[in-house]
Amino acid sequence: MSDVQRTLVLVKPDGVARGNVGEVLRRIEAKGYTLVALELRQADEALLAEHYAEHAGKPFVRPLIEFMSSGPLVAAVVEGQRVVEGFRSLAGATDPTTAAPGTIRGDLARDWGAQVIENVVHGSDSPQSAAREIALWFPAL
């Protein structure tokens, strides 16, 4: 039985603005994962509302959508053995202050206060979420 999966990775606007795209991609490739699709783009509010639909109505959603649409981001489809959990481990804890050194967020993200939305990367949280998110961001795949 194969555990090859695909996941969506987003390098958020803070990661792009701070020049972290190459380092994030380097870590993904160093782990042995394959880049299937990669695009620098400006996400619009409609796409982001669909992306974060499961969180609709929560207080962090509006600021998150505003942040995610504030500048260019990099969207990638990444493939590999157990890549969903593997990338989330590479990314580290959501909160940059508590993210372990050696993780993307532990090394590259900065703590911006109460709302932890500027934390360099997003990774799908399950194979089901990955399939839904990939279909939104890369409908041709």
Side-chain angles (χ1 to χ4, degrees):
M1 182 172 139
S2 175
D3 288 325
V4 173
Q5 303 171 325
R6 286 184 173 180
T7 193
L8 180 76
V9 171
L10 301 176
V11 181
K12 296 179 177 184
D14 61 321
V16 173
R18 294 181 51 230
N20 296 143
V21 174
E23 178 62 16
V24 170
L25 297 177
R26 185 197 67 76
R27 290 178 187 218
I28 289 168
E29 291 183 320
K31 187 74 173 175
Y33 299 138
T34 302
L35 295 170
V36 175
L38 184 68
E39 183 179 331
L40 177 70
R41 66 190 290 183
Q42 180 75 42
D44 62 33
E45 291 200 19
L47 172 62
L48 293 166
E50 278 294 310
H51 179 85
Y52 293 112
E54 67 194 59
H55 301 296
K58 294 179 182 172
F60 66 86
V61 173
R62 172 75 357 230
L64 180 56
I65 289 173
E66 288 173 3
F67 164 65
M68 292 293 288
S69 62
S70 69
L73 55 76
V74 170
V77 177
V78 179
E79 184 176 85
Q81 293 288 328
R82 296 172 57 195
V83 70
V84 172
E85 73 179 296
F87 178 75
R88 290 180 68 80
S89 180
L90 275 178
T94 304
D95 182 345
T97 298
T98 61
T103 65
I104 292 167
R105 292 175 178 141
D107 294 347
L108 305 177
R110 297 187 290 192
D111 188 345
W112 294 102
Q115 291 207 318
V116 181
I117 57 177
E118 297 187 32
N119 59 4
V120 182
V121 291
H122 161 85
S124 305
D125 64 6
S126 69
Q128 297 77 20
S129 291
R132 183 183 70 80
E133 293 173 357
I134 290 167
L136 283 172
W137 290 84
F138 294 93
L141 286 183

